[in-house]
Amino acid sequence: MLYLKTDEEVEQLRKSNMLVSKALAEVAVLICPGVSTLYLDKVADEFIHDNGGLPAFKGYGGFPNTLCTSVNDEVVHGIPSGYILKEGDIISIDCGVILDGWYGDSAYTFAVGEIKKDLKRLLDFTRLSLEEGVKEAIAGNRVGDISWAVQSKAESGGYSVVRELVGHGLGRKLHEPPEVPNYGKRGTGPKMEKGLVICIEPMINLGKKETFQMKDGWTIRTADGKPSAHFEYAVAIDRERADVLTTFKFIEEVLNKM
Ligand code: MG
Ligand code: MG
């Protein structure tokens, strides 16, 4: 059973996802060699509270922090720590908020200082695979159309798609049906209708697709130790084109100034 939001509810979700978009930009300005992931977490936590929200991940299934910070071969769900970012790292930052009872959820993978060309290309392709998925997120299409588009783009670059973790519906809960895999076949899966709100979040590996979970019970890493990237948008399904509730423009304003 898919929960379709009214126009008013989509506007609530636009606000919660706007707060996430801004929180990620607050963090973006601080990302450089020498900064700890725990410091980024603290800044995001304060920003969310100062703007009337609550961090959505803290306490979710027992997760201890506001951000998921996943560096290099960490795919997702990394726990902020005393780890100090160094030149050449990549870091995926995933942030969730609750604002007036509605969830926001977005992720962006950042370069720390100068990164190698092959990492830059991985980030570009992951971002492009997300954009290809968004193009398919329209009423009348099926979830598998998104999955197929993401997978096709990622694999066309020679990358592999993580299977164990998927996108999801978003609303008054962080994870609602349907699941939105980043791999699949056209014309399969649930049919999408106007008012469905989903998170599309490709997790794309430079090497092989296999992953494992660390003993901390959270952090997912690539089995081959090669880097992985992750970008996430929340989108409302509409008739002509997806209504993207997340924006990376605040992040890009920050990055362009650096
Ligand atoms: Mg997320
Ligand atoms: Mg998500």
Side-chain angles (χ1 to χ4, degrees):
M1 184 62 194
L2 302 182
Y3 178 47
L4 304 179
K5 278 77 180 177
T6 64
D7 288 350
E8 291 74 23
E9 290 171 331
V10 169
E11 291 316 307
Q12 292 291 326
L13 283 161
R14 195 185 310 282
K15 286 182 196 162
S16 53
N17 283 286
M18 190 60 67
L19 178 54
V20 176
S21 301
K22 289 178 176 169
L24 284 173
E26 290 293 308
V27 171
V29 74
L30 301 169
I31 292 173
C32 65
V35 171
S36 77
T37 53
L38 198 56
Y39 179 66
L40 301 177
D41 185 71
K42 180 172 167 286
V43 169
D45 190 78
E46 285 178 5
F47 181 80
I48 291 165
H49 281 107
D50 287 349
N51 286 277
L54 291 170
F57 298 166
K58 200 180 254 183
Y60 188 90
F63 190 77
N65 290 82
T66 294
L67 299 178
C68 295
T69 55
S70 308
V71 179
N72 297 335
D73 63 324
E74 296 172 351
V75 179
V76 286
H77 302 167
I79 300 173
S81 71
Y83 177 80
I84 305 291
L85 294 176
K86 60 181 195 303
E87 184 89 17
D89 282 346
I90 57 170
I91 178 171
S92 144
I93 299 192
D94 197 343
C95 182
V97 307
I98 312 167
L99 186 66
D100 300 327
W102 295 93
Y103 279 81
D105 184 15
S106 173
Y108 194 98
T109 302
F110 298 91
V112 182
E114 287 295 315
I115 59 171
K116 286 187 186 150
K117 263 193 193 146
D118 62 338
L119 287 181
K120 175 81 175 67
R121 186 172 177 274
L122 171 68
L123 300 193
D124 289 345
F125 259 89
T126 306
R127 174 77 182 274
L128 286 171
S129 73
L130 169 59
E131 302 290 350
E132 290 300 312
V134 167
K135 287 181 193 166
E136 299 291 332
I138 46 178
N141 275 8
R142 292 182 181 272
V143 169
D145 297 326
I146 298 175
S147 308
W148 169 84
V150 170
Q151 180 179 17
S152 302
K153 187 68 194 179
E155 290 181 353
S156 75
Y159 303 112
S160 63
V161 175
V162 171
R163 303 295 203 264
E164 293 85 352
L165 298 132
V166 296
H168 50 92
L170 185 75
R172 286 194 177 276
K173 290 188 180 158
L174 180 58
H175 296 121
E176 294 183 353
E179 290 195 341
V180 184
N182 297 302
Y183 64 97
K185 290 196 177 77
R186 257 199 181 294
T188 63
K191 196 177 237 182
M192 296 179 286
E193 291 178 55
K194 179 178 162 60
L196 179 68
V197 175
I198 55 172
C199 287
I200 306 174
E201 50 178 314
M203 290 152 253
I204 306 298
N205 295 349
L206 185 69
K208 297 199 170 73
K209 66 180 186 297
E210 285 76 20
T211 64
F212 73 100
Q213 188 174 49
M214 286 175 67
K215 288 209 176 75
D216 64 16
W218 285 102
T219 313
I220 306 292
R221 297 176 84 143
T222 59
D224 62 10
K226 292 187 178 169
S228 183
H230 177 214
F231 288 83
E232 176 177 22
Y233 273 153
V235 307
I237 305 303
D238 213 330
R239 293 195 181 91
E240 301 293 319
R241 59 165 61 196
D243 181 2
V244 182
L245 305 179
T246 312
T247 177
F248 291 152
K249 79 174 181 198
F250 304 117
I251 292 174
E252 275 148 13
E253 281 168 15
V254 165
L255 297 182
N256 289 338
K257 273 187 219 150
M258 286 165 86

